[in-house]
Amino acid sequence: MADEIIAGQATPAFRTATTLVDTADLLEKKSTQLQSLLKCCYGDCSAWFDAIGNVNRDSVMWIASDLADEVAELSQRVLMRLNEADL
């Protein structure tokens, strides 16, 4: 059994972030997750991605799509909160 969690802390659901700082922090975490996931799909790791088969490739891209949607929504929330702070 591993003593350390490699992936780090679990990320809370993005709809529960209530403050600008929480939302911005969550945006950074989700963006990092998306970047890491996509780096498994091209370049030096493309052989792995090709080898996992159509069903698994589709699942990986589904995860990436969900993360991209969350990043887009969190980005809009951060921008809205920043605009409200300027008032």
Side-chain angles (χ1 to χ4, degrees):
M1 191 86 174
D3 294 335
E4 182 179 346
I5 297 174
I6 295 171
Q9 295 178 340
T11 304
F14 72 97
R15 290 183 174 84
T16 62
T18 55
T19 67
L20 176 59
V21 173
D22 288 344
T23 306
D25 185 49
L26 194 51
L27 173 61
E28 181 179 6
K29 288 178 182 179
K30 293 287 184 176
S31 297
T32 301
Q33 288 175 340
L34 180 58
Q35 288 174 330
S36 296
L37 179 64
L38 291 176
K39 286 180 182 179
C40 294
C41 302
Y42 68 92
D44 292 340
C45 295
S46 62
W48 169 85
F49 189 65
D50 291 339
I52 64 174
N54 290 335
V55 172
N56 290 322
R57 279 195 303 270
D58 188 50
S59 294
V60 168
M61 297 314 292
W62 185 10
I63 294 167
S65 177
D66 285 350
L67 281 169
D69 289 345
E70 291 178 16
V71 165
E73 184 173 331
L74 287 165
S75 296
Q76 290 303 311
R77 285 184 181 194
V78 167
L79 289 173
M80 284 177 19
R81 291 195 173 139
L82 286 173
N83 286 334
E84 289 170 357
D86 284 342
L87 296 176

